[in-house]
Amino acid sequence: MLPEEKVLDHGVLRIMFYSLDSYACIVAHISISVPSEHNRFSHLRTVEFMGTDRPWLNLYGNRVRPVAPFGSFSSKPYVDPALIHRCLPDELLFEVFARMRPYTLGRAACVCRKWRYTVRNPILWQNVCLKIWQSYGAEANYIIVRSLYNGSWRKMWVQRPRIRNDGLYVSRNTYIRTGVAEWKVTNPVHVVCYYRYLRFFPSGKFLYKISSQKVKEVAKCMNHASKAECVFRGDYKLTEDQVEAALLYPGMRLTVLTMRLRLRGTTMGANNRLDLLRLVTTGVNENEVNSHVDGVLGLVEGWEEDETHDPDVPAISHRRGLTPFVFVPFEEADTSVLNLPVDKMDYFVPG
Amino acid sequence: MAKMIKLVSGDGAEFEVEEEVAFQSKIIKDIVADADDVIPLPTVSSKVLIQVIEYCRKHAAVNSFPLSPSSSAAAAASSSSSISYSKPVSDPALRAWDNEFVKLNNSSLFDIVIAANYLDIEELVDLVLETVADRIKGKQAQEIRRQFNIENDFTPEEEEALRRENSWAFQNN
C-alpha cells in the first residue's frame, strides 16, 4: 500500500491508501485533525498515525471457510459431516427437541449453530413455562411474559424464580450431642447428621421427609406412590420467590407443619437454593380440618406465629435445623456430596 | 382371508401385507381408499420397509382403531399450534418390544423415522424421536457432538458466551 499524504490548509491531514493488489482493493480515507503547530513538520513525516482503521480485524475470530472463486475447479459444496443434519428435515429435528427436558435444551444450544437456532424456537420454551408455572394458570402466565419479559418465554424461564421438579431440595443439618464416657474416652461428643427433604410437583403438591438416611436412599422413595413411612404430603404456593408450604401430620393429635421459604439460585436460572425463613408446628382441631376444602394451606392461612387451635399442641417456631436447602437433581442423587458422612464433611456451605 | 396390500419398495422388492397392518400408515390407508392395491414407495428402501412392516405388524394386533390425526410437524414449527404427541403405549410388554426395536445405530433410526414420517405412522415417528431425545439427554455438549458427528462451528468467544448464557443448564450445585 502506498500512502499518500496531503496536508490541507486547515490543519487536517488526509491520508489516502490505494491498494495495488488486484484481488482486494481497499481505499481508506482517514482524516485526522492535526494540531496546527505540527504542520511545519509534516514534510518530515513525523506525524504519527493517530487513529487507524483496520477493517481486516473484523475477520479475526470468525471461522471463515475459504471459498474458491466462482467457477474454480476446487470449489466444493459444503457437506455437513453430521448424519443427523443430512437425514432429518428441520421439522423432525425440532420434534426431537420438543421431547427434551429444558435442561437438556440448554445444553443442546451449545452444540452447534443449527441447534442453537432450533433451541431458540419460542414454542419449546412456551410449553415448559406453562408446565412449570401451571399453578398460576395459563392466562396469568401469558400476561406475565408479555409485561415482564418482553414476550420471550425463554427469558422468563431463565429469569423468573421457579421451583424445580427434577430432583430434591435437601437440607443437611448437624448438631453436637454429648456421648457416654467410656474406657479412655472421657468427654465424647457425637456429631449427628440429619436431613430434611423436599420434593415439589408443578401441581401444587409437595412431599416432605425428615430423616438420617442419605440422599441416595431417600431419592427412591420420594414419590406419590411410595408407601414409605414418614413421607408426608402437603400443599405449597409460590409467589414470586417466596414459598408457603403446609402439611398435616396424620395421627391422634392433629399437627400442621408450615414452612416459609425463599427461592434463590447460585446462578441466574439455577433455582437451586431454598432458604428456610420459618418453620412452625402447630395444632389444629378436627372440625376445621374436615370442613376446609382449600387444603392445608387455606387452613392455616393468616395465622399468627404463636397461634394454635388445639390447646394440647402448642405452636412452636423452630429455631434449629434450618440449614438452607440445596437442590440435588435425581441424576446426581447417588454421587452428591451431601451423601458424605460427618467424618468426611461436617458442614456443607450452601453459598 | 384378510385383504392383502402390496407394497413396492424403492429398489423394486414387493411385500404383501395384511390390510390392517398396512393401515397403520395413514397415507396407505388413504391411497387404498381410492381403490389402489399396489402401492409404490420409491423413497423407501427394502431394508427400511421390512423394519417398518415388522413394527406395523406388532402394533396392528394392539391397535384396532386408527390413530388420531396428528398436526403435521410443519405446522408444529409455525407459531400457531403447539406440539402434539401420540398417546403413550400402555402395554408394558409392547413397550419392552419397542425398546428392543429401537436398539439400532443412529443411521438406521434416521432412515426409519424418515420413512415413518413419509408414511405417516405417528406412533413410530414418536418412538424414534423419543429415542433420539433420550440419546441426547444427560450428555454434555462435547459428547453430543461426538455421538452425532456434529461440527463445532462456534468461535471460542461465542462458545464462552453461550456457556455463560446457559449456565443454569449446566450448574447443578
Side-chain angles (χ1 to χ4, degrees):
Chain A
M1 300 226 193
L2 308 171
E4 204 181 83
E5 279 180 8
K6 191 174 163 184
V7 180
L8 307 174
D9 24 305
H10 49 273
V12 175
L13 183 67
R14 179 122 66 99
I15 302 162
M16 303 197 289
F17 291 65
Y18 294 94
S19 166
L20 297 179
D21 190 340
S22 58
Y23 285 101
C25 187
I26 304 174
V27 176
H29 295 262
I30 304 169
S31 296
I32 309 165
S33 59
V34 176
S36 47
E37 56 265 27
H38 288 172
N39 276 347
R40 299 174 279 144
F41 303 117
S42 61
H43 67 282
L44 296 175
R45 289 172 178 257
T46 56
V47 177
E48 296 288 326
F49 295 151
M50 305 279 262
T52 46
D53 186 6
R54 286 176 276 197
W56 58 90
L57 275 187
N58 291 332
L59 294 175
Y60 283 160
N62 285 341
R63 300 238 182 106
V64 181
R65 242 176 265 110
V67 180
F70 182 69
S72 128
F73 285 118
S74 69
S75 64
K76 273 185 302 192
Y78 172 66
V79 178
D80 193 335
L83 191 67
I84 187 172
H85 296 161
R86 285 203 300 264
C87 285
L88 287 189
D90 288 346
E91 311 88 62
L92 285 187
L93 188 65
F94 172 79
E95 288 291 327
V96 174
F97 282 43
R99 286 159 176 76
M100 298 194 317
R101 289 179 322 125
Y103 294 90
T104 320
L105 279 179
R107 281 196 292 261
C110 304
V111 170
C112 67
R113 285 182 198 268
K114 191 181 175 93
W115 285 37
R116 180 177 67 171
Y117 175 73
T118 313
V119 164
R120 274 179 154 58
N121 190 321
I123 297 180
L124 296 172
W125 299 102
Q126 180 183 334
N127 281 341
V128 297
C129 283
L130 290 178
K131 199 154 151 220
I132 196 84
W133 283 297
Q134 59 184 245
S135 55
Y136 284 74
E139 202 181 315
N141 283 320
Y142 274 92
I143 294 173
I144 294 174
V145 77
R146 243 179 290 136
S147 55
L148 294 177
Y149 300 100
N150 243 336
S152 164
W153 293 95
R154 194 163 170 274
K155 218 163 151 188
M156 178 157 94
W157 171 266
V158 178
Q159 294 179 3
R160 184 176 164 194
R162 89 194 107 80
I163 285 272
R164 289 177 66 164
N165 61 350
D166 55 325
L168 301 174
Y169 286 91
V170 182
S171 163
R172 186 178 187 271
N173 299 285
T174 52
Y175 66 88
I176 294 179
R177 72 170 173 86
T178 50
V180 177
E182 263 180 28
W183 180 224
K184 281 202 176 149
V185 183
T186 43
N187 246 349
V189 289
H190 297 274
V191 179
V192 181
C193 174
Y194 67 96
Y195 300 87
R196 294 188 203 273
Y197 294 100
L198 283 173
R199 180 178 175 183
F200 294 93
F201 298 89
S203 56
K205 298 268 180 250
F206 76 99
L207 296 175
Y208 172 70
K209 184 180 169 83
I210 180 169
S211 158
S212 56
Q213 284 181 303
K214 305 262 175 17
V215 186
K216 48 189 171 193
E217 289 127 36
V218 172
K220 297 186 203 91
C221 75
M222 291 288 277
N223 50 55
H224 281 304
S226 147
K227 299 279 184 287
E229 274 185 25
C230 302
V231 176
F232 300 106
R233 255 180 76 135
D235 302 322
Y236 78 94
K237 191 162 172 211
L238 173 70
T239 322
E240 290 200 19
D241 67 341
Q242 289 247 353
V243 179
E244 286 282 345
L247 61 88
L248 180 65
Y249 281 119
M252 287 294 293
R253 295 230 189 103
L254 293 174
T255 312
V256 164
L257 175 97
T258 51
M259 281 185 272
R260 181 174 300 157
L261 307 133
R262 188 164 21 109
L263 183 62
R264 61 181 173 88
T266 50
T267 64
M268 167 88 82
N271 292 298
N272 51 5
R273 296 288 185 271
L274 272 175
D275 293 321
L276 195 47
L277 304 174
R278 201 176 82 158
L279 183 76
V280 174
T281 48
T282 183
V284 289
N285 71 52
E286 211 171 320
N287 299 329
E288 275 182 312
V289 171
N290 293 333
S291 62
H292 225 108
V293 293
D294 263 359
V296 196
L297 268 182
L299 185 58
V300 295
E301 200 173 335
W303 284 24
E304 299 292 331
E305 200 167 316
D306 53 358
E307 187 174 334
T308 177
H309 288 199
D310 181 353
D312 289 334
V313 183
I316 305 174
S317 179
H318 297 254
R319 298 261 175 261
R320 292 186 298 177
L322 303 184
T323 316
F325 287 82
V326 171
F327 184 76
V328 178
F330 288 124
E331 303 92 61
E332 291 184 17
D334 290 340
T335 55
S336 165
V337 292
L338 293 177
N339 280 310
L340 288 176
V342 282
D343 48 333
K344 298 236 170 53
M345 178 171 80
D346 55 3
Y347 190 69
F348 176 80
V349 183
Chain B
M1 175 65 186
K3 184 150 177 267
M4 303 298 276
I5 312 273
K6 197 183 288 191
L7 304 174
V8 185
S9 76
D11 29 310
E14 294 182 353
F15 301 89
E16 278 221 320
V17 289
E18 294 82 8
E19 190 180 73
E20 61 163 6
V21 172
F23 279 6
Q24 295 288 301
S25 157
K26 287 194 86 282
I27 297 287
I28 294 182
K29 196 151 179 274
D30 292 342
I31 295 178
V32 168
D34 291 340
D36 205 359
D37 282 356
V38 179
I39 301 169
L41 303 168
T43 54
V44 185
S45 73
S46 299
K47 169 169 170 266
V48 176
L49 191 53
I50 293 173
Q51 289 174 307
V52 171
I53 291 175
E54 189 188 336
Y55 178 90
C56 290
R57 192 153 276 149
K58 188 78 184 178
H59 281 245
V62 177
N63 292 326
S64 320
F65 310 103
L67 299 167
S68 56
S70 66
S71 58
S72 71
S78 79
S79 52
S80 50
S81 64
S82 64
I83 300 146
S84 69
Y85 302 96
S86 62
K87 56 187 188 307
V89 176
S90 46
D91 180 15
L94 193 56
R95 235 183 312 145
W97 187 89
D98 281 349
N99 289 337
E100 276 303 310
F101 181 75
V102 291
K103 283 197 179 143
L104 302 162
N105 63 15
N106 287 336
S107 163
S108 314
L109 275 186
F110 298 151
D111 288 335
I112 292 182
V113 77
I114 292 169
N117 194 27
Y118 172 69
L119 295 169
D120 198 1
I121 309 173
E122 192 182 323
E123 274 190 357
L124 182 53
V125 172
D126 197 40
L127 173 66
V128 174
L129 293 181
E130 283 281 354
T131 313
V132 176
D134 282 341
R135 290 191 187 181
I136 298 174
K137 187 165 68 171
K139 291 200 169 77
Q140 297 296 323
Q142 189 53 28
E143 294 166 342
I144 300 175
R145 280 190 213 118
R146 223 177 313 148
Q147 229 231 339
F148 294 99
N149 200 21
I150 296 176
E151 184 187 319
N152 179 5
D153 50 0
F154 291 129
T155 67
E157 296 82 25
E158 285 179 322
E159 214 173 325
E160 180 57 41
L162 264 179
R163 192 64 171 68
R164 248 179 292 129
E165 188 185 317
N166 290 304
S167 60
W168 55 270
F170 291 90
Q171 172 119 20
N172 273 319
N173 231 332

